[in-house]
Amino acid sequence: MDKKDYKNVFVFAEQREGVIQPVAFELLGKARDLADVLGEKVVAMFLGCGIKDQAQTLIEMGADEVIVADCPELKDYLSEQYSQAVYQIIEQRKPGIVLYGATTIGRDMAPRLACRLRAGLTADCTKLEVQPAKEEGFMDLHSTRPAFGGNLMATIVCPNTRPQMSTVRPGVMQKRERDPQRQGVVTDFAPKFDTSKFKVRLVETIRADKNVADISEAKILVSGGRGVHDKEGFGKLQALADQLGGQVASSRAMVDNGVMPHECQVGQTGKTVRPNLYIACGISGAIQHLAGMEESDLIVAINKDKYAPIFSVADLGIVGDLHKIVPMLTERLKREMAQ
């Protein structure tokens, strides 16, 4: 393998039922940063059926080129069909870096491709950057992710193989503003499928009826930890969130205790969030939780323990009993907003 043959930053632009997922735009934003440092292009791989007319959106969000594989076999995500198509694109175009969302789709497909390509893969990354390699004239991708149960952050490098691949958790990277004036190239790609390997077919799609809003899209989050105690305590947080026009989230402890649903969990094993305001109530601030919310614009922490780790990342800290402070804060906001 000659590493000189591998260049450009590729992004798997995930779509579901024809709707481009937010993680695709987030990855394009980070890919744009990496490509600008490398002096290379950002290329989006866009797979599906009847989706070609959306390729321009990916260009406006940062892609220089969109490779579109639009065919009936790719209408729904199936591991083998998608893996074959993406593998053929990578083998033909030889990207230096490939990024996937750490979603159910990305986590299923990326390891399969790493095996077929005999390339390295770093999963669930929270930070990506390129640094000069030991070999002069080359740059390596440095992928940082929580390790050992989230007790430390590990930076992983795959210097000997190409492409360098990573999955990135939704909500971690910052998407760029859409630029309707951006110009790019749309390239059609027709995969040559080996249908003898299609062992799985989609029989039926059953959608869960979810009444819980997606916390990763929220601009304001009021999040509770062990100190909230129970559902009655979360009722106080809900009142504050309603007053602010936000949503309620939770640490893993309260999900494990059955108080809150997993859809509301923030942290390494939950969702990564980046709201404008994050109010952490009764959350100690273990590294697993911090990994999911430390990029919030403004963090307010309320905790009885003045030595709680959450205060190390908080912009504003309140030492005291949340069960007294949160209702007082809610009432004060009601009065101020009524004026």
Side-chain angles (χ1 to χ4, degrees), residues 216-328:
S216 64
E217 298 293 317
K219 299 300 182 183
I220 298 175
L221 283 176
V222 181
S223 189
R226 204 182 299 274
V228 180
H229 301 319
D230 49 30
K231 289 186 178 181
E232 183 181 348
F234 272 98
K236 300 172 184 175
L237 270 58
Q238 186 66 61
L240 177 57
D242 291 342
Q243 192 62 40
L244 292 168
Q247 295 172 216
V248 171
S250 170
S251 70
R252 177 176 177 174
M254 303 313 288
V255 173
D256 289 346
N257 289 345
V259 177
M260 294 292 285
H262 184 262
E263 290 84 358
C264 293
Q265 182 183 330
V266 174
Q268 183 187 352
T269 54
K271 291 188 176 182
T272 300
V273 298
R274 193 195 289 263
N276 300 131
L277 172 63
Y278 188 88
I279 304 178
C281 306
I283 295 173
S284 63
I287 191 170
Q288 294 94 328
H289 187 80
L290 299 183
M293 46 66 71
E294 60 186 347
E295 294 298 323
S296 304
D297 292 343
L298 178 66
I299 301 172
V300 178
I302 304 173
N303 201 296
K304 289 195 294 186
D305 180 8
K306 65 179 180 181
Y307 299 109
I310 190 69
F311 289 122
S312 66
V313 299
D315 299 288
L316 175 64
I318 303 174
V319 179
D321 186 352
L322 73 92
H323 295 281
K324 297 178 180 178
I325 294 170
V326 170
M328 290 170 60

Side-chain angles (χ1 to χ4, degrees), residues 104-293:
T104 52
I105 289 177
R107 286 170 171 164
D108 176 72
M109 183 174 61
R112 296 172 184 271
L113 291 166
C115 183
R116 296 181 189 194
L117 295 164
R118 298 182 179 274
L121 171 67
T122 307
D124 283 354
C125 298
T126 57
K127 181 181 179 182
L128 298 172
E129 58 184 356
V130 287
Q131 299 286 350
K134 292 182 179 179
E135 189 176 354
E136 188 175 350
F138 293 96
M139 300 283 279
D140 285 335
L141 177 67
H142 289 230
S143 304
T144 302
R145 69 178 305 276
F148 291 99
N151 291 307
L152 58 84
M153 304 299 287
T155 299
I156 299 170
V157 184
C158 300
N160 300 321
T161 59
R162 293 292 186 271
Q164 304 163 98
M165 304 202 299
S166 298
T167 63
V168 181
R169 300 187 65 178
V172 171
M173 303 302 173
Q174 190 80 45
K175 66 180 179 181
R176 294 196 168 198
E177 292 294 326
R178 186 169 179 173
D179 181 5
Q181 305 304 317
R182 281 197 94 249
Q183 299 295 315
V185 177
V186 178
T187 304
D188 290 322
F189 184 84
K192 297 178 180 178
F193 293 109
D194 180 356
T195 56
S196 67
K197 295 183 179 179
F198 292 179
K199 304 298 184 182
V200 176
R201 65 187 178 92
L202 181 63
V203 176
E204 183 182 6
T205 300
I206 301 175
R207 292 174 181 81
D209 184 15
K210 293 185 178 180
N211 297 317
V212 181
D214 187 356
I215 60 172
S216 64
E217 298 293 317
K219 299 300 182 183
I220 298 175
L221 283 176
V222 181
S223 189
R226 204 182 299 274
V228 180
H229 301 319
D230 49 30
K231 289 186 178 181
E232 183 181 348
F234 272 98
K236 300 172 184 175
L237 270 58
Q238 186 66 61
L240 177 57
D242 291 342
Q243 192 62 40
L244 292 168
Q247 295 172 216
V248 171
S250 170
S251 70
R252 177 176 177 174
M254 303 313 288
V255 173
D256 289 346
N257 289 345
V259 177
M260 294 292 285
H262 184 262
E263 290 84 358
C264 293
Q265 182 183 330
V266 174
Q268 183 187 352
T269 54
K271 291 188 176 182
T272 300
V273 298
R274 193 195 289 263
N276 300 131
L277 172 63
Y278 188 88
I279 304 178
C281 306
I283 295 173
S284 63
I287 191 170
Q288 294 94 328
H289 187 80
L290 299 183
M293 46 66 71

Side-chain angles (χ1 to χ4, degrees), residues 8-11 27-28 31-33 35-36 40-44 62-66:
N8 298 324
V9 183
F10 277 47
V11 168
L27 292 178
L28 285 173
R32 184 76 268 159
D33 294 340
D36 289 346
E40 297 177 351
K41 295 193 305 180
V42 174
V43 181
D64 298 304
E65 180 183 1
V66 181

Side-chain angles (χ1 to χ4, degrees), residues 18 51 58 60 92 149 184 262 272 289 291:
I51 45 90
L58 297 171
E60 294 173 3
Q92 182 182 113
H262 184 262
T272 300
H289 187 80

Side-chain angles (χ1 to χ4, degrees), residues 39-76:
E40 297 177 351
K41 295 193 305 180
V42 174
V43 181
M45 297 180 289
F46 194 34
L47 283 65
C49 182
I51 45 90
K52 185 177 178 179
D53 60 343
Q54 298 185 62
Q56 180 60 30
T57 302
L58 297 171
I59 292 172
E60 294 173 3
M61 294 299 290
D64 298 304
E65 180 183 1
V66 181
I67 299 174
V68 179
D70 193 325
C71 54
E73 292 87 349
L74 301 174
K75 181 178 184 296
D76 298 298

